[in-house]
Amino acid sequence: MRQELTGFNDFKDLVGIMDALRAEQGCPWDKEQTEHTLLAYLIEETHELIEAVEEGRPERIREELGDVLFQLLFFAHIAKEKGQFDIYDVISGICDKMLTRHPHVFGGAVCETSSEVLKQWDEIKKSEGRHAQSSLCGIPITLPSLLRAFMVGDRASRAGFDWKKTADVLDKLDEELNEFKEAVNDPARAEAELGDILFTIVNVARFIKVNPEEALRKTINRFIGRFQHMEQNAKCRSKPLRDMTTAEMDALWEEAKREG
């Protein structure tokens, strides 16, 4: 029996749609999915949400949030089929966690600054046994390396291991750059030194409150836009970039920069 196509507008309706898709007479594709096959779609939808946020388009943000929400519901539904938990258990769990992790809002604790909140958050997690072995436990190894480095540096800082000021990190960056220059002809050593440079740059970003993952993503997008502008101009001149002199390409690049 097919579902009616009208009257769906709240969370329970969405759960019902998920039930119908996975039912015996549901969608063949949806019935084939597992937690593992869904991972790629969750990552894809998450990145589409990030793109929508960066574009500042509310309607697209709303749409992409819905896509991410549906993926989360999908995971929970599969778990329900296995008798593990359902989406309402997920909601109950996160409600309990947020109440516990915010005693300054829902209890008698007092936190007047963000740093005090983060310190309290870490202490609560330690009391739960989540950071019993190390303050760096729990950072996903599958994160993009820049973001993971940022989180590692932040966790280490909150544990008390950090430079005192931005100038100290910049001095460390100069040191790492010099070591890299000395190692550039030794591939194995150069790789290690380049890693040190990148990690130090991430810490510079942290000190000046810039997310390095976002910064690099925006730079890549700017580069793509400018490079495509160069390609278009080169096409108009009937001269491929590969056939241009360095001076000609520099001129096109500067023009692309002026165009945004």
Side-chain angles (χ1 to χ4, degrees):
M1 183 174 180
R2 294 190 180 278
Q3 294 281 347
E4 293 292 333
L5 297 180
T6 59
F8 293 99
N9 56 20
D10 65 21
F11 187 71
K12 288 184 179 180
D13 291 332
L14 183 60
V15 174
I17 291 172
M18 186 76 257
D19 290 340
L21 291 174
R22 292 281 291 190
E24 185 177 349
Q25 300 301 317
C27 172
W29 185 90
D30 287 284
K31 291 191 295 180
E32 291 176 357
Q33 302 313 305
T34 69
E35 305 101 315
H36 298 289
T37 62
L38 289 176
L39 288 173
Y41 300 106
L42 177 61
I43 292 170
E44 178 184 349
E45 299 296 355
T46 301
H47 281 283
E48 289 182 0
L49 173 60
I50 292 171
E51 187 176 275
V53 170
E54 291 190 342
E55 290 176 354
R57 295 167 54 188
E59 283 303 308
R60 189 177 171 208
I61 292 172
R62 177 193 58 77
E63 178 183 352
E64 300 302 342
L65 281 170
D67 290 342
V68 172
L69 175 60
F70 190 76
Q71 293 301 317
L72 301 180
L73 177 58
F74 212 147
F75 276 95
H77 188 91
I78 292 174
K80 182 178 74 170
E81 292 173 344
K82 295 180 177 181
Q84 298 169 338
F85 57 84
D86 63 19
I87 190 63
Y88 297 103
D89 295 320
V90 174
I91 293 171
S92 176
I94 191 61
C95 284
D96 289 343
K97 179 185 287 187
M98 291 302 104
L99 291 171
T100 301
R101 298 276 179 89
H102 293 83
H104 54 293
V105 177
F106 304 107
V110 176
C111 289
E112 297 182 350
T113 66
S114 294
S115 59
E116 290 176 351
V117 171
L118 291 175
K119 181 179 179 180
Q120 175 184 255
W121 183 279
D122 288 339
E123 290 172 351
I124 293 172
K125 291 182 75 170
K126 286 179 181 178
S127 71
E128 296 171 346
R130 293 177 178 268
H131 293 167
Q133 296 180 332
S134 169
S135 297
L136 302 183
C137 286
I139 300 175
I141 62 174
T142 54
L143 283 173
S145 293
L146 280 180
L147 182 56
R148 187 175 177 220
F150 185 83
M151 295 183 68
V152 166
D154 184 58
R155 288 275 191 92
S157 175
R158 282 151 58 179
F161 184 75
D162 208 352
W163 291 273
K164 298 299 182 183
K165 55 185 183 295
T166 305
D168 295 336
V169 200
L170 292 173
D171 288 342
K172 181 64 175 176
L173 179 58
D174 288 337
E175 175 187 327
E176 298 295 353
L177 284 168
N178 289 330
E179 291 179 1
F180 175 72
K181 291 174 183 178
E182 294 173 0
V184 74
N185 293 318
D186 180 344
R189 189 181 163 204
E191 179 185 55
E193 297 298 344
L194 182 59
D196 290 345
I197 289 172
L198 294 172
F199 190 73
T200 305
I201 289 174
V202 168
N203 280 295
V204 172
R206 179 171 55 81
F207 261 81
I208 63 175
K209 302 187 185 307
V210 170
N211 185 308
E213 188 73 28
E214 292 181 10
L216 182 57
R217 183 170 61 251
K218 291 174 181 177
T219 291
I220 292 170
N221 289 340
R222 284 196 301 272
F223 178 87
I224 290 173
R226 290 169 181 173
F227 187 80
Q228 290 175 340
H229 187 279
M230 289 175 63
E231 288 180 313
Q232 187 61 37
N233 279 349
K235 185 177 180 180
C236 291
R237 301 180 187 188
S238 300
K239 188 174 185 180
L241 290 175
R242 69 175 66 88
D243 294 335
M244 290 187 176
T245 65
T246 299
E248 288 174 322
M249 285 189 287
D250 284 345
L252 287 183
W253 179 258
E254 291 302 319
E255 181 181 331
K257 286 175 65 176
R258 289 193 298 271
E259 293 292 326

mmCIF file of all heavy atoms in Angstrom, residues 136-173:
data_model
loop_
_atom_site.group_PDB
_atom_site.id
_atom_site.type_symbol
_atom_site.label_atom_id
_atom_site.label_comp_id
_atom_site.label_asym_id
_atom_site.label_seq_id
_atom_site.Cartn_x
_atom_site.Cartn_y
_atom_site.Cartn_z
ATOM 1 N N LEU A 136 44.301 13.888 24.182
ATOM 2 C CA LEU A 136 44.175 13.841 22.731
ATOM 3 C C LEU A 136 43.337 12.660 22.246
ATOM 4 O O LEU A 136 43.182 12.470 21.034
ATOM 5 C CB LEU A 136 45.559 13.794 22.081
ATOM 6 C CG LEU A 136 46.497 14.961 22.426
ATOM 7 C CD1 LEU A 136 47.806 14.835 21.657
ATOM 8 C CD2 LEU A 136 45.837 16.300 22.137
ATOM 9 N N CYS A 137 42.793 11.884 23.175
ATOM 10 C CA CYS A 137 41.934 10.767 22.779
ATOM 11 C C CYS A 137 40.622 11.302 22.198
ATOM 12 O O CYS A 137 40.134 12.354 22.605
ATOM 13 C CB CYS A 137 41.623 9.877 23.985
ATOM 14 S SG CYS A 137 42.999 8.853 24.507
ATOM 15 N N GLY A 138 40.080 10.564 21.260
ATOM 16 C CA GLY A 138 38.758 10.896 20.738
ATOM 17 C C GLY A 138 38.749 11.788 19.516
ATOM 18 O O GLY A 138 37.684 12.076 18.972
ATOM 19 N N ILE A 139 39.920 12.253 19.056
ATOM 20 C CA ILE A 139 39.969 13.051 17.828
ATOM 21 C C ILE A 139 39.991 12.085 16.653
ATOM 22 O O ILE A 139 40.926 11.293 16.515
ATOM 23 C CB ILE A 139 41.217 13.953 17.797
ATOM 24 C CG1 ILE A 139 41.205 14.919 18.986
ATOM 25 C CG2 ILE A 139 41.281 14.732 16.484
ATOM 26 C CD1 ILE A 139 42.465 15.756 19.103
ATOM 27 N N PRO A 140 38.976 12.101 15.796
ATOM 28 C CA PRO A 140 38.885 11.108 14.715
ATOM 29 C C PRO A 140 40.097 11.132 13.786
ATOM 30 O O PRO A 140 40.508 12.186 13.309
ATOM 31 C CB PRO A 140 37.614 11.524 13.958
ATOM 32 C CG PRO A 140 36.812 12.287 14.960
ATOM 33 C CD PRO A 140 37.814 13.022 15.795
ATOM 34 N N ILE A 141 40.645 9.948 13.512
ATOM 35 C CA ILE A 141 41.807 9.869 12.629
ATOM 36 C C ILE A 141 41.407 10.073 11.169
ATOM 37 O O ILE A 141 42.270 10.287 10.315
ATOM 38 C CB ILE A 141 42.541 8.516 12.780
ATOM 39 C CG1 ILE A 141 41.617 7.358 12.388
ATOM 40 C CG2 ILE A 141 43.052 8.347 14.205
ATOM 41 C CD1 ILE A 141 42.316 6.018 12.370
ATOM 42 N N THR A 142 40.105 10.012 10.881
ATOM 43 C CA THR A 142 39.644 10.188 9.500
ATOM 44 C C THR A 142 39.403 11.646 9.135
ATOM 45 O O THR A 142 39.034 11.945 7.994
ATOM 46 C CB THR A 142 38.342 9.399 9.281
ATOM 47 O OG1 THR A 142 37.379 9.788 10.262
ATOM 48 C CG2 THR A 142 38.588 7.896 9.395
ATOM 49 N N LEU A 143 39.592 12.571 10.070
ATOM 50 C CA LEU A 143 39.417 13.992 9.756
ATOM 51 C C LEU A 143 40.443 14.436 8.712
ATOM 52 O O LEU A 143 41.541 13.874 8.644
ATOM 53 C CB LEU A 143 39.615 14.833 11.020
ATOM 54 C CG LEU A 143 38.490 14.880 12.045
ATOM 55 C CD1 LEU A 143 38.970 15.628 13.285
ATOM 56 C CD2 LEU A 143 37.256 15.553 11.472
ATOM 57 N N PRO A 144 40.116 15.447 7.905
ATOM 58 C CA PRO A 144 41.145 16.040 7.037
ATOM 59 C C PRO A 144 42.330 16.468 7.900
ATOM 60 O O PRO A 144 42.155 16.939 9.031
ATOM 61 C CB PRO A 144 40.431 17.257 6.436
ATOM 62 C CG PRO A 144 38.979 16.893 6.474
ATOM 63 C CD PRO A 144 38.804 16.097 7.732
ATOM 64 N N SER A 145 43.538 16.286 7.384
ATOM 65 C CA SER A 145 44.732 16.476 8.214
ATOM 66 C C SER A 145 44.843 17.871 8.820
ATOM 67 O O SER A 145 45.256 18.010 9.981
ATOM 68 C CB SER A 145 45.984 16.172 7.384
ATOM 69 O OG SER A 145 46.022 14.803 7.059
ATOM 70 N N LEU A 146 44.485 18.911 8.065
ATOM 71 C CA LEU A 146 44.575 20.264 8.622
ATOM 72 C C LEU A 146 43.628 20.431 9.799
ATOM 73 O O LEU A 146 43.995 20.996 10.832
ATOM 74 C CB LEU A 146 44.259 21.312 7.548
ATOM 75 C CG LEU A 146 45.374 21.672 6.570
ATOM 76 C CD1 LEU A 146 44.883 22.711 5.585
ATOM 77 C CD2 LEU A 146 46.593 22.198 7.312
ATOM 78 N N LEU A 147 42.404 19.942 9.654
ATOM 79 C CA LEU A 147 41.437 20.062 10.730
ATOM 80 C C LEU A 147 41.847 19.224 11.928
ATOM 81 O O LEU A 147 41.714 19.650 13.079
ATOM 82 C CB LEU A 147 40.053 19.634 10.234
ATOM 83 C CG LEU A 147 38.900 19.737 11.239
ATOM 84 C CD1 LEU A 147 38.788 21.155 11.791
ATOM 85 C CD2 LEU A 147 37.595 19.305 10.589
ATOM 86 N N ARG A 148 42.369 18.035 11.661
ATOM 87 C CA ARG A 148 42.830 17.184 12.771
ATOM 88 C C ARG A 148 43.995 17.837 13.510
ATOM 89 O O ARG A 148 44.049 17.825 14.745
ATOM 90 C CB ARG A 148 43.252 15.818 12.216
ATOM 91 C CG ARG A 148 43.582 14.808 13.301
ATOM 92 C CD ARG A 148 43.872 13.449 12.713
ATOM 93 N NE ARG A 148 44.247 12.496 13.739
ATOM 94 C CZ ARG A 148 45.210 11.592 13.596
ATOM 95 N NH1 ARG A 148 45.882 11.505 12.446
ATOM 96 N NH2 ARG A 148 45.495 10.754 14.573
ATOM 97 N N ALA A 149 44.936 18.429 12.761
ATOM 98 C CA ALA A 149 46.060 19.127 13.390
ATOM 99 C C ALA A 149 45.561 20.280 14.254
ATOM 100 O O ALA A 149 46.067 20.523 15.355
ATOM 101 C CB ALA A 149 47.023 19.644 12.322
ATOM 102 N N PHE A 150 44.560 21.004 13.747
ATOM 103 C CA PHE A 150 43.977 22.121 14.493
ATOM 104 C C PHE A 150 43.386 21.638 15.818
ATOM 105 O O PHE A 150 43.601 22.236 16.879
ATOM 106 C CB PHE A 150 42.901 22.781 13.639
ATOM 107 C CG PHE A 150 42.293 24.015 14.241
ATOM 108 C CD1 PHE A 150 42.920 25.243 14.121
ATOM 109 C CD2 PHE A 150 41.092 23.958 14.937
ATOM 110 C CE1 PHE A 150 42.363 26.392 14.666
ATOM 111 C CE2 PHE A 150 40.532 25.096 15.492
ATOM 112 C CZ PHE A 150 41.168 26.321 15.353
ATOM 113 N N MET A 151 42.656 20.524 15.769
ATOM 114 C CA MET A 151 42.030 19.993 16.975
ATOM 115 C C MET A 151 43.062 19.451 17.948
ATOM 116 O O MET A 151 42.927 19.610 19.167
ATOM 117 C CB MET A 151 41.010 18.914 16.595
ATOM 118 C CG MET A 151 39.824 19.434 15.807
ATOM 119 S SD MET A 151 38.588 18.169 15.446
ATOM 120 C CE MET A 151 37.948 17.846 17.102
ATOM 121 N N VAL A 152 44.111 18.817 17.428
ATOM 122 C CA VAL A 152 45.185 18.322 18.298
ATOM 123 C C VAL A 152 45.861 19.483 19.017
ATOM 124 O O VAL A 152 46.090 19.441 20.233
ATOM 125 C CB VAL A 152 46.224 17.519 17.474
ATOM 126 C CG1 VAL A 152 47.501 17.293 18.283
ATOM 127 C CG2 VAL A 152 45.632 16.176 17.050
ATOM 128 N N GLY A 153 46.180 20.539 18.272
ATOM 129 C CA GLY A 153 46.808 21.708 18.884
ATOM 130 C C GLY A 153 45.918 22.359 19.928
ATOM 131 O O GLY A 153 46.384 22.781 20.989
ATOM 132 N N ASP A 154 44.624 22.427 19.620
ATOM 133 C CA ASP A 154 43.671 23.029 20.549
ATOM 134 C C ASP A 154 43.557 22.212 21.831
ATOM 135 O O ASP A 154 43.558 22.766 22.930
ATOM 136 C CB ASP A 154 42.306 23.146 19.875
ATOM 137 C CG ASP A 154 41.286 23.853 20.749
ATOM 138 O OD1 ASP A 154 41.545 25.002 21.139
ATOM 139 O OD2 ASP A 154 40.237 23.246 21.051
ATOM 140 N N ARG A 155 43.471 20.887 21.685
ATOM 141 C CA ARG A 155 43.375 20.021 22.862
ATOM 142 C C ARG A 155 44.641 20.127 23.715
ATOM 143 O O ARG A 155 44.570 20.184 24.948
ATOM 144 C CB ARG A 155 43.175 18.568 22.428
ATOM 145 C CG ARG A 155 41.812 18.241 21.870
ATOM 146 C CD ARG A 155 40.812 17.900 22.972
ATOM 147 N NE ARG A 155 39.616 17.338 22.366
ATOM 148 C CZ ARG A 155 39.423 16.043 22.169
ATOM 149 N NH1 ARG A 155 40.352 15.171 22.556
ATOM 150 N NH2 ARG A 155 38.311 15.603 21.615
ATOM 151 N N ALA A 156 45.788 20.127 23.052
ATOM 152 C CA ALA A 156 47.058 20.239 23.782
ATOM 153 C C ALA A 156 47.124 21.565 24.531
ATOM 154 O O ALA A 156 47.585 21.636 25.683
ATOM 155 C CB ALA A 156 48.236 20.102 22.828
ATOM 156 N N SER A 157 46.652 22.629 23.889
ATOM 157 C CA SER A 157 46.643 23.951 24.519
ATOM 158 C C SER A 157 45.759 23.955 25.764
ATOM 159 O O SER A 157 46.140 24.493 26.808
ATOM 160 C CB SER A 157 46.152 24.995 23.513
ATOM 161 O OG SER A 157 46.023 26.257 24.128
ATOM 162 N N ARG A 158 44.578 23.358 25.647
ATOM 163 C CA ARG A 158 43.653 23.322 26.788
ATOM 164 C C ARG A 158 44.191 22.473 27.932
ATOM 165 O O ARG A 158 43.794 22.640 29.091
ATOM 166 C CB ARG A 158 42.289 22.811 26.313
ATOM 167 C CG ARG A 158 41.504 23.901 25.588
ATOM 168 C CD ARG A 158 40.564 23.393 24.543
ATOM 169 N NE ARG A 158 39.564 22.450 25.006
ATOM 170 C CZ ARG A 158 38.633 21.899 24.233
ATOM 171 N NH1 ARG A 158 38.594 22.204 22.943
ATOM 172 N NH2 ARG A 158 37.752 21.057 24.716
ATOM 173 N N ALA A 159 45.146 21.577 27.607
ATOM 174 C CA ALA A 159 45.791 20.777 28.652
ATOM 175 C C ALA A 159 46.994 21.504 29.247
ATOM 176 O O ALA A 159 47.650 20.985 30.160
ATOM 177 C CB ALA A 159 46.223 19.431 28.084
ATOM 178 N N GLY A 160 47.307 22.707 28.702
ATOM 179 C CA GLY A 160 48.384 23.523 29.252
ATOM 180 C C GLY A 160 49.666 23.523 28.455
ATOM 181 O O GLY A 160 50.639 24.183 28.837
ATOM 182 N N PHE A 161 49.709 22.775 27.323
ATOM 183 C CA PHE A 161 50.921 22.704 26.508
ATOM 184 C C PHE A 161 50.760 23.638 25.322
ATOM 185 O O PHE A 161 50.086 23.314 24.344
ATOM 186 C CB PHE A 161 51.138 21.264 26.033
ATOM 187 C CG PHE A 161 52.418 21.071 25.258
ATOM 188 C CD1 PHE A 161 53.648 21.046 25.901
ATOM 189 C CD2 PHE A 161 52.389 20.906 23.875
ATOM 190 C CE1 PHE A 161 54.818 20.866 25.184
ATOM 191 C CE2 PHE A 161 53.557 20.732 23.146
ATOM 192 C CZ PHE A 161 54.775 20.705 23.801
ATOM 193 N N ASP A 162 51.401 24.812 25.386
ATOM 194 C CA ASP A 162 51.213 25.788 24.319
ATOM 195 C C ASP A 162 52.248 26.892 24.421
ATOM 196 O O ASP A 162 52.927 27.046 25.437
ATOM 197 C CB ASP A 162 49.807 26.399 24.408
ATOM 198 C CG ASP A 162 49.273 26.862 23.062
ATOM 199 O OD1 ASP A 162 50.038 26.852 22.086
ATOM 200 O OD2 ASP A 162 48.093 27.225 22.998
ATOM 201 N N TRP A 163 52.344 27.673 23.345
ATOM 202 C CA TRP A 163 53.165 28.872 23.385
ATOM 203 C C TRP A 163 52.414 29.959 24.146
ATOM 204 O O TRP A 163 51.193 29.866 24.349
ATOM 205 C CB TRP A 163 53.452 29.355 21.962
ATOM 206 C CG TRP A 163 54.365 28.468 21.175
ATOM 207 C CD1 TRP A 163 55.725 28.497 21.155
ATOM 208 C CD2 TRP A 163 53.974 27.427 20.265
ATOM 209 N NE1 TRP A 163 56.214 27.541 20.294
ATOM 210 C CE2 TRP A 163 55.166 26.867 19.735
ATOM 211 C CE3 TRP A 163 52.744 26.907 19.847
ATOM 212 C CZ2 TRP A 163 55.166 25.813 18.817
ATOM 213 C CZ3 TRP A 163 52.734 25.862 18.932
ATOM 214 C CH2 TRP A 163 53.925 25.325 18.432
ATOM 215 N N LYS A 164 53.118 30.986 24.529
ATOM 216 C CA LYS A 164 52.500 32.069 25.301
ATOM 217 C C LYS A 164 51.852 33.119 24.410
ATOM 218 O O LYS A 164 50.842 33.708 24.780
ATOM 219 C CB LYS A 164 53.550 32.743 26.205
ATOM 220 C CG LYS A 164 54.160 31.801 27.249
ATOM 221 C CD LYS A 164 53.097 31.264 28.205
ATOM 222 C CE LYS A 164 53.730 30.366 29.270
ATOM 223 N NZ LYS A 164 52.678 29.771 30.159
ATOM 224 N N LYS A 165 52.447 33.359 23.246
ATOM 225 C CA LYS A 165 51.909 34.409 22.360
ATOM 226 C C LYS A 165 52.184 34.068 20.904
ATOM 227 O O LYS A 165 53.008 33.197 20.607
ATOM 228 C CB LYS A 165 52.510 35.772 22.731
ATOM 229 C CG LYS A 165 54.022 35.827 22.736
ATOM 230 C CD LYS A 165 54.502 37.170 23.240
ATOM 231 C CE LYS A 165 56.026 37.297 23.184
ATOM 232 N NZ LYS A 165 56.712 36.346 24.093
ATOM 233 N N THR A 166 51.493 34.773 20.019
ATOM 234 C CA THR A 166 51.595 34.493 18.587
ATOM 235 C C THR A 166 53.033 34.639 18.087
ATOM 236 O O THR A 166 53.483 33.848 17.246
ATOM 237 C CB THR A 166 50.681 35.450 17.795
ATOM 238 O OG1 THR A 166 49.353 35.350 18.296
ATOM 239 C CG2 THR A 166 50.690 35.105 16.309
ATOM 240 N N ALA A 167 53.759 35.623 18.602
ATOM 241 C CA ALA A 167 55.144 35.838 18.156
ATOM 242 C C ALA A 167 55.998 34.599 18.392
ATOM 243 O O ALA A 167 56.896 34.291 17.593
ATOM 244 C CB ALA A 167 55.740 37.036 18.883
ATOM 245 N N ASP A 168 55.719 33.871 19.471
ATOM 246 C CA ASP A 168 56.488 32.656 19.767
ATOM 247 C C ASP A 168 56.238 31.587 18.703
ATOM 248 O O ASP A 168 57.167 30.878 18.290
ATOM 249 C CB ASP A 168 56.107 32.104 21.141
ATOM 250 C CG ASP A 168 56.475 33.043 22.276
ATOM 251 O OD1 ASP A 168 57.400 33.860 22.085
ATOM 252 O OD2 ASP A 168 55.837 32.976 23.339
ATOM 253 N N VAL A 169 55.008 31.474 18.248
ATOM 254 C CA VAL A 169 54.687 30.481 17.215
ATOM 255 C C VAL A 169 55.326 30.890 15.889
ATOM 256 O O VAL A 169 55.809 30.045 15.136
ATOM 257 C CB VAL A 169 53.155 30.351 17.014
ATOM 258 C CG1 VAL A 169 52.844 29.031 16.337
ATOM 259 C CG2 VAL A 169 52.426 30.450 18.326
ATOM 260 N N LEU A 170 55.345 32.191 15.595
ATOM 261 C CA LEU A 170 55.970 32.665 14.361
ATOM 262 C C LEU A 170 57.476 32.397 14.381
ATOM 263 O O LEU A 170 58.062 32.057 13.346
ATOM 264 C CB LEU A 170 55.690 34.157 14.167
ATOM 265 C CG LEU A 170 54.229 34.507 13.878
ATOM 266 C CD1 LEU A 170 54.036 36.027 13.874
ATOM 267 C CD2 LEU A 170 53.789 33.923 12.529
ATOM 268 N N ASP A 171 58.090 32.545 15.553
ATOM 269 C CA ASP A 171 59.511 32.214 15.677
ATOM 270 C C ASP A 171 59.724 30.725 15.397
ATOM 271 O O ASP A 171 60.697 30.338 14.738
ATOM 272 C CB ASP A 171 60.022 32.559 17.081
ATOM 273 C CG ASP A 171 60.153 34.051 17.309
ATOM 274 O OD1 ASP A 171 60.185 34.801 16.310
ATOM 275 O OD2 ASP A 171 60.198 34.468 18.479
ATOM 276 N N LYS A 172 58.808 29.899 15.892
ATOM 277 C CA LYS A 172 58.896 28.457 15.660
ATOM 278 C C LYS A 172 58.743 28.160 14.170
ATOM 279 O O LYS A 172 59.438 27.281 13.626
ATOM 280 C CB LYS A 172 57.808 27.735 16.449
ATOM 281 C CG LYS A 172 57.816 26.219 16.298
ATOM 282 C CD LYS A 172 59.096 25.603 16.847
ATOM 283 C CE LYS A 172 59.047 24.087 16.801
ATOM 284 N NZ LYS A 172 60.326 23.468 17.250
ATOM 285 N N LEU A 173 57.871 28.905 13.488
ATOM 286 C CA LEU A 173 57.679 28.716 12.057
ATOM 287 C C LEU A 173 58.967 29.046 11.296
ATOM 288 O O LEU A 173 59.365 28.315 10.385
ATOM 289 C CB LEU A 173 56.523 29.586 11.558
ATOM 290 C CG LEU A 173 56.211 29.518 10.069
ATOM 291 C CD1 LEU A 173 55.883 28.091 9.644
ATOM 292 C CD2 LEU A 173 55.049 30.459 9.726
#
